[in-house]
Amino acid sequence: MKFNTKTIHGGQKHDPAYGAVMPPIYQTSTYAQTTPGDHKGYAYSRTSNPTRSALEHAFASIENGNYGLAFGSGLAAIDSVLKLLKSGDEVVSTNDLYGGTYRLFTKIYEEFGIKFHFIGMENVERIEDYINENTKLIWVETPTNPMMNIIDIKTTASIAKKHDVLLAVDNTFATPYLQQPLDLGANIVMHSATKYLGGHSDLVMGALIVKDKALADRLYFIQNASGAICGPQDAFLALRGIKTLHIRMQRHCENGKAVAEFLANHPKIENVYWPGFESHPNHNIAKSQMKDFGGMVSFTTKGNDYEEAIKIVENLKIFTLAESLGGVESLAGHPVSMTHASIPKEEREKIGVVDSLIRLSVGIEDEDDLIADLRQAIG
Ligand SMILES: *Cc1c(COP(=O)(O)O)cnc(C)c1O
């Protein structure tokens, strides 16, 4: 089955009870048993629920995995991966990282005795310098947030394999429409399904997908033991979102390209960060591991003025000033005052998060309206 069919049918069966084409929302915590232990595959909804199972099968299918797991948020999914580790273990992670992931690693898991090395992985050779006998996990985000750096998944996977270390890839920005990390050698794919997979800014959810049965069993154990599951209503919404992932992504990419090119030609704009430009430092890796370049675009203004950037995001009418990304509607964010406000100025400027940086999640509205909105807002 090809990807555009998998988003609709992958891992799905019509409901056995009445043939419902869409999976019913099994809003139940428990299931009747005829004699103790004799049930129809479901005993208690923390452990499993038929609506969640349908979604987990869809997750596995679209990422070319064998097993999918759904969680109550992206961070709950990441938390479950970290629970594979124990005190004394070490993790090598990208430094341009989703802020909540950084907070979970440093404020929770460092306290439990896990050591993290945050490094720029645009140069994959650097990774090996940080691997020792305690290293158990490499954590990669690509494209990164908000600088749109690209990390070579295939080479990172071969390094991980050589040292017998797990490679987990946060595939939230790219989605499986653009890149499928398991096929490139990653062991675990993670999603904030809150973003593109759900696609309609109406739920918070996380996902993990793996190929290996033993690894899946450990993660299912953690999912059930720790209990950070999603409810059946949200599972239904995510399933509905996934059905249009491919056509939404196609338009996100088209509009992202149009917006990136408009900004690159605007006299008031200094830098535009978008992996589709040939001038992007890892454009060739993006081209080889991604089908297209996505709908996330960041930019800075000439003069790098804080007040001017605030004016621009306030002036926008179709783009909504908001956290998050990946919905059908276009959003704009100002990392310095929003997502990255807690990072010291010196630290954030090292990775390029400067005062005038604006991050756009380009939606699927009409391209002309989006460009007209940016033109009037930038002035
Ligand atoms: C939003 C996001 C997360 C966290 O997911 P939640 O669903 O908000 O918990 C992790 N990684 C990336 C890249 C994200 O954008």
Side-chain angles (χ1 to χ4, degrees):
M1 215 187 270
K2 294 204 171 167
F3 184 78
N4 294 352
T5 310
K6 282 185 175 181
T7 57
I8 295 162
H9 299 291
Q12 302 305 301
K13 295 195 284 266
H14 297 151
D15 187 63
Y18 299 108
V21 168
M22 279 303 285
I25 301 168
Y26 282 93
Q27 194 73 50
T28 186
S29 61
T30 190
Y31 307 81
Q33 308 189 7
T34 45
T35 186
D38 183 24
H39 53 69
K40 298 186 165 124
Y42 294 90
Y44 185 61
S45 282
R46 173 168 25 76
T47 313
S48 56
N49 169 287
T51 318
R52 198 174 90 223
S53 298
L55 173 64
E56 291 178 330
H57 293 141
F59 282 155
S61 173
I62 59 175
E63 280 287 4
N64 292 342
N66 295 321
Y67 307 93
L69 299 94
F71 295 87
S73 70
L75 281 171
I78 302 171
D79 182 67
S80 295
V81 174
L82 269 288
K83 283 177 174 147
L84 293 167
L85 309 181
K86 59 181 183 346
S87 171
D89 288 348
E90 298 190 15
V91 178
V92 184
S93 167
T94 25
N95 60 356
D96 184 18
L97 196 63
Y98 178 73
T101 308
Y102 182 78
R103 181 176 56 197
L104 177 68
F105 287 179
T106 56
K107 295 282 193 280
I108 308 269
Y109 280 98
E110 251 170 30
E111 295 287 310
F112 289 144
I114 293 169
K115 189 168 172 187
F116 294 86
H117 304 274
F118 297 98
I119 63 168
M121 291 188 184
E122 302 78 63
N123 248 326
V124 271
E125 292 77 37
R126 293 190 64 201
I127 298 172
E128 265 187 316
D129 297 344
Y130 293 86
I131 294 181
N132 60 47
E133 71 276 11
N134 296 323
T135 312
K136 295 289 153 57
L137 176 69
I138 299 174
W139 187 270
V140 165
E141 224 180 275
T142 180
T144 65
N145 173 28
M147 298 313 298
M148 307 298 144
N149 290 318
I150 300 290
I151 290 145
D152 180 343
I153 299 173
K154 208 170 176 177
T155 309
T156 308
S158 65
I159 294 169
K161 194 163 180 206
K162 178 173 152 201
H163 295 276
D164 201 19
V165 171
L166 289 174
L167 170 63
V169 175
D170 181 339
N171 206 27
T172 301
F173 269 39
T175 83
Y177 174 82
L178 295 179
Q179 80 189 3
Q180 292 168 316
L182 296 178
D183 287 349
L184 299 170
N187 305 95
I188 302 172
V189 166
M190 174 264 151
H191 278 278
S192 169
T194 313
K195 318 292 169 54
Y196 286 106
L197 297 191
H200 296 76
S201 306
D202 53 6
L203 57 87
V204 174
M205 186 184 287
L208 296 178
I209 303 102
V210 303
K211 279 195 167 163
D212 180 65
K213 167 99 171 60
L215 182 56
D217 285 345
R218 288 173 71 200
L219 290 167
Y220 282 125
F221 178 84
I222 292 167
Q223 183 193 39
N224 183 46
S226 293
I229 53 150
C230 64
Q233 293 265 4
D234 282 354
F236 177 88
L237 284 173
L239 265 167
R240 187 163 75 165
I242 287 171
K243 288 184 193 295
T244 56
L245 177 65
H246 54 301
I247 49 172
R248 284 186 286 110
M249 285 308 294
Q250 193 183 335
R251 182 62 65 86
H252 281 298
C253 291
E254 287 166 13
N255 286 356
K257 179 173 194 281
V259 163
E261 285 172 352
F262 164 76
L263 292 169
N265 289 314
H266 195 289
K268 287 194 180 167
I269 301 305
E270 177 78 38
N271 295 307
V272 183
Y273 301 98
W274 179 68
F277 288 130
E278 268 173 40
S279 58
H280 184 287
N282 277 349
H283 174 70
N284 285 336
I285 295 164
K287 233 164 98 178
S288 72
Q289 72 187 19
M290 299 169 76
K291 180 186 158 98
D292 205 336
F293 304 108
M296 298 300 299
V297 180
S298 297
F299 65 97
T300 59
T301 56
K302 289 203 172 117
N304 190 32
D305 186 55
Y306 181 94
E307 299 302 331
E308 187 186 20
I310 300 288
K311 271 243 157 54
I312 292 172
V313 293
E314 282 175 356
N315 285 346
L316 287 165
K317 294 194 168 71
I318 292 176
F319 282 83
T320 301
L321 177 60
E323 310 261 353
S324 201
L325 61 113
V328 290
E329 66 291 310
S330 291
L331 302 180
H334 181 241
V336 165
S337 62
M338 296 164 74
T339 46
H340 290 61
S342 61
I343 304 174
K345 190 175 164 81
E346 204 171 283
E347 284 301 308
R348 69 182 184 231
E349 289 193 343
K350 259 191 234 160
I351 57 167
V353 181
V354 297
D355 282 353
S356 72
L357 187 76
I358 292 171
R359 189 193 77 178
L360 302 176
S361 169
V362 182
I364 63 169
E365 301 94 335
D366 193 284
E367 169 189 316
D368 293 344
D369 289 330
L370 296 181
I371 287 173
D373 192 28
L374 286 164
R375 184 179 286 123
Q376 67 77 22
I378 296 166

